[in-house]
Amino acid sequence: HMPAAKVSLDDLLTVVAHVANANKLRESAKLRSYLKAAYAAAIRARQDARGLPELRALRITHNPAGDLVTIEGASNARDRALSLAELRAYWKRVCALPGPSGALLRFHLLTGGQRIEQLGRLTRSDLDSDLDCVRIRDSKGRRKAARIHDVPLIPAALEALQEMGCEVGPYLFTVTHGESGAVYATVQHRVRAIAVDMQESGELEKGLFTVGDLRRTVETRLSAAGLQPHELAQLQSHGLGGVQVRHYNKHDYLQEKRVALETLFQLLTGKVGTVTTIKRNRVSAGARG
């Protein structure tokens, strides 16, 4: 073992190179990013009177990971987005999937393809039954405090939520009746199985797809349906780090998100949904306390 303060660039390079040389480029890029962030946090703690004492005790003055160059080829952007026909075929198969597994995938799609790790943290206390929405705390990025992200639940999403059930534990996004929240691997395993079946049945115009591709598909198809970029950013909670959003624009976009999700449901099913006006003075004490 070596004290963190004595670790050099060469020491870290050896670790990251071991992963990169195994052709795990994305994983090596994440490792580099985590190391850089960890050292940066330790340095910041020595400058912040409210920083964690445990980090200050490391006495870190230099970030050796900051000199590690980015991993070439690790950040190639994916551009797979399902066509409307592919998306409807996926939805049909998801609806035919019985039990909590089908409900899990329906809920994921009907909430706009939210990030799995954030859905997996949802508990009963995050559900507002008056406003029919769930409260996600989005800590992604460099935020010091999680961003509150309220996601409306259209009737079909509420049905999926009820079918998942939380009789055993408090978690909402679950295949264990609430005992634990579903993780990425749980969702991706089920998505891949459906994608393979779709490919074998000739329902895919391109190759297999992932959970991330479904999130991108939601944005792409809603954009084609006429929704504006700022509305889609609010729905999926991304690209919202600007000064205007952080300090000036306090509109919660709940109604716009609900319209977007109703539009998505119409795209999936061809059915016309009904959008209910939100009464903003009704707040559930459990989810807003």
Side-chain angles (χ1 to χ4, degrees):
H1 298 284
M2 181 184 298
K6 294 185 177 181
V7 172
S8 68
L9 169 63
D10 289 335
D11 295 324
L12 295 182
L13 182 60
T14 300
V15 175
V16 176
H18 178 73
V19 181
N21 290 337
N23 204 31
K24 298 179 179 179
L25 300 183
R26 183 58 183 158
E27 289 79 3
S28 62
K30 288 182 179 180
L31 177 58
R32 170 188 174 274
S33 178
Y34 294 152
L35 289 170
K36 185 177 179 180
Y39 271 93
I43 293 173
R44 207 163 42 242
R46 297 192 66 191
Q47 303 165 344
D48 185 353
R50 299 183 63 187
L52 290 175
E54 294 83 359
L55 288 179
R56 283 202 299 270
L58 296 175
R59 305 185 69 81
I60 302 294
T61 60
H62 172 64
N63 189 343
D67 295 325
L68 289 170
V69 300
T70 56
I71 309 298
E72 186 176 351
S75 59
N76 293 333
R78 291 182 59 91
D79 58 3
R80 176 75 161 105
L82 278 67
S83 67
L84 184 55
E86 289 176 319
L87 183 60
R88 284 179 171 171
Y90 171 76
W91 174 249
K92 184 176 180 180
R93 286 181 175 271
V94 166
C95 289
L97 191 64
S101 290
L104 183 87
L105 297 186
R106 297 201 314 273
F107 187 84
H108 168 249
L109 190 55
L110 291 172
T111 51
Q114 303 299 324
R115 297 181 180 93
I116 301 301
E117 62 272 16
Q118 293 174 3
L119 289 177
R121 289 197 292 264
L122 290 175
T123 64
R124 292 191 195 103
S125 64
D126 298 313
L127 174 64
D128 188 326
S129 298
D130 287 334
L131 295 181
D132 286 340
C133 69
V134 287
R135 170 156 288 185
I136 290 176
R137 290 165 177 81
D138 185 358
S139 57
K140 191 174 186 298
R142 299 181 179 180
R143 302 183 179 103
K144 287 188 176 181
R147 175 182 178 273
I148 298 302
H149 174 41
D150 291 332
V151 179
L153 302 180
I154 64 175
L158 287 169
E159 292 174 7
L161 184 65
Q162 184 176 13
E163 190 173 331
M164 280 187 287
C166 53
E167 303 91 353
V168 178
Y171 291 96
L172 300 179
F173 189 66
T174 178
V175 290
T176 58
H177 300 287
E179 183 177 4
S180 61
V183 297
Y184 183 88
T186 301
V187 181
Q188 176 59 18
H189 173 74
R190 288 160 174 77
V191 168
R192 181 172 177 81
I194 291 176
V196 169
D197 288 343
M198 290 175 65
Q199 187 177 53
E200 292 176 351
S201 299
E203 296 172 349
L204 293 184
E205 300 167 15
K206 297 182 181 178
L208 298 176
F209 56 89
T210 67
V211 172
D213 295 331
L214 288 173
R215 177 176 169 85
R216 185 180 305 105
T217 296
V218 168
E219 182 171 11
T220 302
R221 300 278 71 86
L222 287 178
S223 178
L227 272 77
Q228 299 302 306
H230 71 277
E231 295 171 329
L232 297 174
Q234 290 290 339
L235 175 63
Q236 295 190 328
S237 188
H238 63 72
L240 299 174
V243 172
Q244 181 181 13
V245 173
R246 288 201 307 268
H247 299 292
Y248 301 111
N249 190 350
K250 298 302 181 182
H251 179 50
D252 61 15
Y253 286 90
L254 195 61
Q255 180 69 355
E256 290 85 347
K257 294 174 188 177
R258 193 176 297 276
V259 170
L261 293 173
E262 289 283 1
T263 301
L264 175 62
F265 185 71
Q266 293 171 31
L267 291 175
L268 294 172
T269 64
K271 298 178 182 178
V272 177
T274 301
V275 180
T276 304
T277 302
I278 302 299
K279 295 182 180 180
R280 298 183 184 279
N281 60 340
R282 298 179 65 197
V283 179
S284 167
R288 299 291 183 267

